[in-house]
Amino acid sequence: VMPDPAMLSNFNFAVQIELSGLGGDEGLALGSRKGAFSEVQGLEITLEPVSIREGGYNRGARQLVGKTTNPPLILKRGLSLDPAFWAWVQRCIDGTFPLPYVSGTIRVMQADSSAPDAGVWRFENGIVTKVKSADLNAGNAREVPLEELHIVHEGLSREAT
């Protein structure tokens, strides 16, 4: 599903939220679950190394991969006109059980809309931890309504495009 072309006129990234099936996110089913942002931070996967000293192996410690960590996704200078998107944010704020975990896709769009996406990232089981609105200024009609949206999640992966 492609984002509205009007939303992409000023943005390079599109974010689409998907239902998790874990409950608490039913309100999202009513909307398009889309937003557009001009900056995305936190597309990072860190693998913790684990050193194991093995008897009889004298070249040094063996290196294995331990747990994986991901920083929160920070979506900056964005917009979502979808009421379902904001209903999801409100459910996260309310903190009622079950939490409204969602999964999502972040698509990096190319200037040529007929070209394939430059990159696609997926996050799993995310919830909102911070929402920062832009300062409102009546003299600047192009002000961005959403300055930052922070989403913590349980995993990030990059899809082959």
Side-chain angles (χ1 to χ4, degrees), residues 12-94:
N12 298 320
F13 308 97
V15 178
Q16 183 170 1
I17 302 295
E18 295 146 14
L19 304 179
S20 67
L22 300 174
D25 56 4
E26 297 83 5
L28 284 170
L30 303 174
S32 63
R33 303 180 299 277
K34 294 178 187 171
F37 297 85
S38 62
E39 185 176 340
V40 178
Q41 294 178 348
L43 297 174
E44 177 181 324
I45 302 169
T46 302
L47 304 171
E48 180 181 303
V50 176
S51 297
I52 297 181
R53 297 188 65 203
E54 184 178 329
Y57 185 75
N58 296 326
R59 293 178 51 198
R62 296 247 186 215
Q63 299 296 318
L64 302 175
V65 176
K67 75 175 186 175
T68 303
T69 58
N70 304 101
L73 294 173
I74 302 173
L75 311 176
K76 292 188 171 187
R77 290 179 293 287
L79 169 69
S80 180
L81 303 176
D82 184 2
F85 185 87
W86 290 105
W88 169 62
V89 170
Q90 187 60 49
R91 285 274 294 134
C92 290
I93 293 167
D94 294 345

Side-chain angles (χ1 to χ4, degrees), residues 2-14 35-37 107 109:
M2 293 298 294
D4 292 335
M7 291 178 72
L8 291 175
S9 61
N10 294 323
F11 299 96
N12 298 320
F13 308 97
F37 297 85
R107 297 185 183 281
M109 308 301 209

